[in-house]
């Protein structure tokens, strides 16, 4: 049975090695997907490349990678949890193949950069993580687990995610990446803090034990995926004064890279800007992280030189897979560390030894020639090594009586072939850019300095051009065998590959030549005419958007991409060079280009998108029964070249009408939006739920969903799709009339939009107004979410805000974090540890039902806390002066009652309120009670309290 399965795999692998290694279809099995295009884009596919990945620095790292089969998987819970210093040290400093498995995409985190939360934040943090990974030099994986918000215990995480599911996802990651070592970031105990952290530690241990056992998660073993037994397991979160086995000195300086590993990783980690707003440089000096070995032989205090001590991670170490893996499959956790290579055939051992000698020769020569700035001198040596590796790979394929482990040797040799190709291209200084080209190319001498922005997306049936620029910057001439395009979607009809130097155009250097060879500063360009298929696979998340933020596990629309950060982009360019008579392939994504003021030129991979996209904002809300009115805005985004005219109508519940019934749009330019306002006259009943949809009509086609690009300046944008729909509930809610509300915007703040649902239009207070305007014109001023971080002037003019209250104003301070723990109020308070009530169903006790916040104009009851999402609130206050009155109390299971979430004080002739309940999470989800509480907070100036 097993033999048959492995034979099938073997054929698939051979076919892949022969075929060009890019995805051609989305209907294939997972193992094929994983081996064709690695889980994360190849380091060299990111453009422009980091300085660490170019020139002699790149060649030195390529040679380190060639010389080892070391590999490790680092398991964490959220983007930003990783030990970036360790990853960078192992990948860039030791050449180990490293992957980072982040259980979630961090959907429940904060956002200091934009108004994206939940699913959108998950996409944004995926891109931030990928940006960080470029610095670490690692591949990236995510499980379908969702960060549903802070979790105090592993038990809560276990219950929400299902332990079996999490462990299964980590097992899958181990079976796909096939690491020699697993490195858990967390220990799986309360010491890790966050319940997700604990669960990631637990899952790493359990998966380490289960991945090699074919009876565990056997459903994963279809499509040719095989069990895999990693050899060692380590855990992080260990201090120097505790038992440890390995220490990583990431503060080491590497002159070839011009930096310490700690600093390189810091530059990567800064990309988690939604969480920290940017980073800090590492202090110079020692950066050590300590790791404890859990298997094999856990609890020993012996000091090891590295994670890979005791394992032959040299090239000859591949021989150990030949016979031993089959046995290891059936003895999970079994150590093969000290077992000899077994009876690997002599030809294999000899072949591996020859490759190892070739790499050593290249390394010696690099020290001499590379040090003189001429790494191209290595190309002939490396080409010889590439030839030997390809030959050995064929021999492994053709071997009689192949044992099960032969596939592992083949896989390792495939990695070496790719690494040789990278090393040769880097030694020669080969670079290739493929990008969507404008129809009219600039000409003349200055053309090389001119870039025209190109649309980021192509739509069905669109004709467009792709230009490929190829250069090999060393003096050594290199022949171009062919240049072409590959699609990740089988629906594309691609032009045939072109041979070397066939097309010449508008190059300042060598215009008009028909060159076959590249060298020096000479560049060649190729131009391809393409047409998007009528029904292309759209560039979008392969997971399904959640209907409710209470979902804790993504449903996958395209499960073949499970674990990948994103589904593949549609087009790549492939060039085949001939170096010393051997073919060497390089691959790059097809990009689009845009110049952004202040940031400069940005390259973003080309995406496929619909012609028309329609969205509704907001996404959820309420119908106040008093007005039976809903204001909605439909946004039509057109990707049609030359303009698009059409109309939008709403799908309404029976008996509801909209004004207008049908709105026309006329978008003149590609990439632009039209907004259409609708006023809906509802006939909602109290507590009843409704759905409103929007349908755009263009060119005889209907569109019912839309996307927006998530991201901020400098981070790669990615589309988030949503059905054009609005969820709403009829709610009995009153607001005092004639309110003049001033609002200071916070971070990612959608509270003002919710105010408008209640019929209140807040006035945004600018820094200039806060500094000098007469604030008494406002009945009330509300500070947005984390206003003390979002606006520096709020700290500076805090005194003016307090004066405003003393003179009779109402100030409502919404949720802040520790930046607010500095006595900004009229009376002392302490946030202290900043307690959170994470259970969104935790009972809420009303302490003073007569206080106007809880009684005017709406009587707030326990029912108003039904249907909340994610949490009750966080950063509640620990202690406060007696002038503050606590209005509500709530707590998680096992937690002392928390009364510091809503505090009310009179000050002078005014009112000062500290409000830390997570209204800002509830309002965009249309939670009825949150609107009633907001209405009361807004109505305070008209209450009897004043
Ligand atoms: Zn975390």
């Amino acid at each position: 049975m097993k033999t048959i399965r492995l034979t099938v795999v073997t054929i698939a692998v051979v076919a892949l090695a022969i075929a060009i290694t890019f995805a051609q279809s989305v209907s294939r099995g997972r193992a094929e997907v994983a081996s064709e295009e690695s889980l994360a884009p190849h380091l060299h596919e990111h453009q422009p490349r980091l300085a660490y990945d170019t020139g002699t620095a790149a060649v030195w790292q390529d040679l380190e990678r060639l010389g080892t089969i070391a590999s490790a998987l680092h398991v964490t819970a959220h983007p930003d949890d990783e030990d970036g210093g360790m990853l960078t040290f192992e990948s860039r400093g030791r050449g180990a193949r490293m992957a980072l498995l982040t259980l979630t995409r961090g959907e429940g985190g904060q956002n200091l950069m934009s108004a994206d939360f939940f699913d959108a934040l998950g996409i944004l943090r995926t891109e931030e993580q990928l940006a960080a990974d470029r610095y670490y030099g690692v591949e990236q994986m995510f499980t379908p687990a969702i960060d549903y918000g802070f979790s105090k215990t592993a038990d809560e995480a276990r219950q929400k995610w299902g332990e079996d599911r999490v462990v299964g996802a980590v097992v899958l990651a181990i079976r796909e990446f096939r690491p020699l070592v697993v490195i858990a970031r967390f220990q799986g105990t309360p010491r890790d803090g966050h319940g997700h952290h604990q669960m990631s530690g637990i899952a790493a241990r359990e998966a380490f034990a289960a991945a090699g056992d074919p009876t565990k998660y056997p459903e994963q073993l279809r499509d040719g995926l095989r069990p895999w037994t990693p050899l060692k397991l380590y855990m992080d979160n260990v201090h120097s004064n505790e038992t440890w086995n390995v220490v990583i000195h990431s503060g080491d300086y590497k002159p070839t890279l011009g930096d310490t590993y700690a600093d390189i990783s810091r530059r990567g980690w800064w990309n988690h800007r939604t969480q920290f707003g940017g980073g800090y440089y590492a202090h110079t000096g020692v950066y050590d992280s300590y790791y404890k070995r859990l298997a094999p032989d856990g609890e020993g205090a012996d000091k090891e030189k590295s994670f890979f001590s005791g394992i032959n991670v040299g090239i000859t170490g591949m021989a150990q897979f030949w016979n031993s893996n089959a046995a290891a499959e059936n003895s999970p956790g079994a150590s093969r560390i000290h077992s000899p290579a077994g009876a690997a055939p002599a030809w294999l051992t000899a072949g591996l030894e020859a490759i190892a000698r070739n790499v050593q020769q290249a390394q010696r020569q690099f020290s001499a020639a590379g040090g003189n700035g001429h790494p191209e001198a290595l190309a002939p040596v490396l080409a010889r090594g590439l030839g030997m590796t390809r030959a050995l790979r064929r021999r492994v394929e053709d071997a009689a009586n192949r044992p099960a482990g032969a596939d592992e040797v083949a896989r390792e040799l495939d990695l070496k072939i790719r690494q040789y190709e990278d090393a040769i291209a880097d030694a020669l200084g080969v670079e290739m850019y493929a990008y969507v080209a404008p129809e009219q190319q600039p000409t003349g001498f200055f053309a090389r300095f001119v870039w025209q922005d190109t649309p980021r997306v192509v739509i069905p049936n669109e004709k467009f051009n792709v230009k490929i620029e190829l250069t090999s910057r060393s003096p050594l001439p290199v022949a171009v065998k062919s240049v072409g395009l590959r699609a990740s979607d089988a629906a594309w009809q691609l032009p045939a590959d072109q041979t070397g130097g066939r097309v010449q155009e508008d190059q300042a250097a060598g215009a008009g030549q028909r060159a076959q060879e590249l060298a020096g500063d000479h560049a060649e360009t190729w131009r391809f005419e393409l047409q998007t298929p009528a029904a292309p696979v759209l560039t979008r998340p392969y997971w399904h958007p959640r209907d409710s933020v209470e979902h804790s596990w993504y449903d996958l629309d395209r499960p073949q991409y499970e674990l990948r950060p994103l589904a593949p982009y549609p087009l790549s360019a492939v060039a085949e060079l001939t170096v010393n008579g051997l073919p060497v392939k390089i691959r790059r994504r097809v990009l689009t280009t845009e110049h952004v003021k202040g940031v400069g030129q940005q390259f973003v991979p080309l995406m496929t998108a619909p012609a028309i996209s329609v969205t509704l904002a907001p996404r959820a809300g309420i119908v106040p029964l008093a007005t039976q009115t809903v204001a909605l805005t439909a946004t039509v985004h057109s990707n049609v070249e030359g303009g698009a005219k059409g109309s939008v109508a709403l799908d309404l519940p029976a008996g509801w009408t909209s004004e207008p019934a049908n709105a026309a749009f006329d978008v003149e330019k590609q990439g632009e939006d039209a907004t259409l306002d609708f006023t809906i006259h509802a006939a909602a009943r109290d507590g009843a739920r409704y759905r409103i949809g929007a349908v755009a009509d263009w060119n005889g086609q209907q569109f019912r969903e839309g996307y927006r690009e998530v991201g901020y300046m400098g981070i790669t944008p990615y589309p988030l799709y949503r059905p054009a729909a609005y969820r709403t509930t009829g709610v009995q809610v009153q607001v005092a009339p004639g309110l003049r509300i001033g609002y200071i915007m916070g971070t990612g703040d959608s509270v003002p939009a919710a105010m408008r649902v209640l019929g209140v239009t807040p006035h945004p207070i600018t820094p200039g107004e806060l500094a000098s305007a007469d604030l008494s014109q406002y009945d009330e001023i509300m500070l947005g979410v984390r206003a003390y971080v979002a606006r520096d002037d709020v700290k500076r003019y805090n005194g003016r805000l307090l004066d405003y209250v003393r003179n009779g104003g109402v100030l409502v301070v919404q949720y802040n974090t520790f930046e607010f723990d500095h006595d900004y109020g009229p009376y002392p308070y302490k946030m202290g540890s900043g307690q959170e009530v994470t259970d969104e169903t935790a009972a809420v006790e009303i302490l003073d039902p007569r206080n106007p916040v809880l009684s005017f104009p709406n009587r707030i009851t326990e029912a108003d806390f039904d249907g909340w999402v994610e949490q009750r609130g966080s950063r509640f206050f620990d202690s406060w002066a007696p002038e503050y009155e606590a209005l509500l109390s709530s707590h998680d299971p096992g937690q002392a009652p928390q009364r510091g979430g809503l505090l009310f004080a009179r000050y002078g002739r005014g009112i000062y309120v500290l409000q830390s309940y997570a209204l800002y999470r509830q309002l965009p989800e249309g939670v009825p009670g949150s609107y009633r509480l907001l209405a009361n907070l807004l109505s305070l100036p008209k209450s009897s309290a004043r």
Side-chain angles (χ1 to χ4, degrees), residues 76-82 104 125 147 186 192 194 196-197:
T76 70
H78 311 112
D80 79 21
D81 288 343
E82 66 273 9
T104 75
R125 294 188 70 185
D147 172 10
F186 297 105
D192 304 326
H194 203 312
H196 296 169
H197 294 171

Side-chain angles (χ1 to χ4, degrees), residues 480-484 495-500 502-503 525-528:
V480 182
K481 199 171 167 218
S482 69
V483 169
D497 288 3
Q498 296 179 1
T499 50
R502 190 172 133 204
V503 176
T525 63
W526 288 259
R527 203 180 172 92
F528 294 86

